[in-house]
């Protein structure tokens, strides 16, 4: 729960956007997270702050989704 809350605090993402975030949506090279489906239906790019980047890099990749359990199931 802490990594999710930290990402929300440092990016301003909505909870649903963060829970649907896939590793392929994160571009560490450019420093942006790409939201494919936002509340408005439009795509948007969110800059990754250093603390959020550090937290994301520390997460274990279990699935294509950033926030998933070790068995691959999703948090809701």
């Amino acid at each position: 729960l802490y990594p999710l809350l930290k990402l929300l605090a440092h990016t301003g993402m909505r909870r649903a956007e963060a829970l649907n975030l896939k590793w392929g949506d994160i571009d560490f090279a450019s420093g942006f997270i790409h939201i494919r489906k936002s509340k408005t239906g439009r795509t948007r790019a969110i800059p990754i702050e250093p603390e959020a980047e550090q937290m994301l890099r520390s997460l274990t990749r279990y699935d294509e989704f950033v926030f998933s359990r070790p068995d691959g199931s999703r948090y809701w």
Side-chain angles (χ1 to χ4, degrees), residues 2 4 6 8 10 14 18 20 23-26 29 31-32 37 40 49-50 54 57 59 67 71-73 75:
Y2 177 74
L4 174 63
K6 190 167 188 171
L8 295 175
H10 286 280
R14 294 175 181 93
N20 288 318
W23 287 108
D25 297 332
I26 302 171
F32 284 92
K37 291 183 180 180
T40 62
E49 292 185 6
Q54 181 181 10
R57 290 185 183 274
L59 293 176
F67 297 103
D71 65 359
S73 61
Y75 293 105

Side-chain angles (χ1 to χ4, degrees), residues 43-72:
T43 61
R44 64 188 183 121
I46 300 172
I48 306 172
E49 292 185 6
E51 286 189 42
E53 180 179 353
Q54 181 181 10
M55 181 278 304
L56 287 168
R57 290 185 183 274
S58 72
L59 293 176
T60 304
R61 295 182 186 204
Y62 296 113
D63 193 298
E64 67 178 322
F65 291 95
V66 174
F67 297 103
S68 63
R69 295 181 179 99
D71 65 359

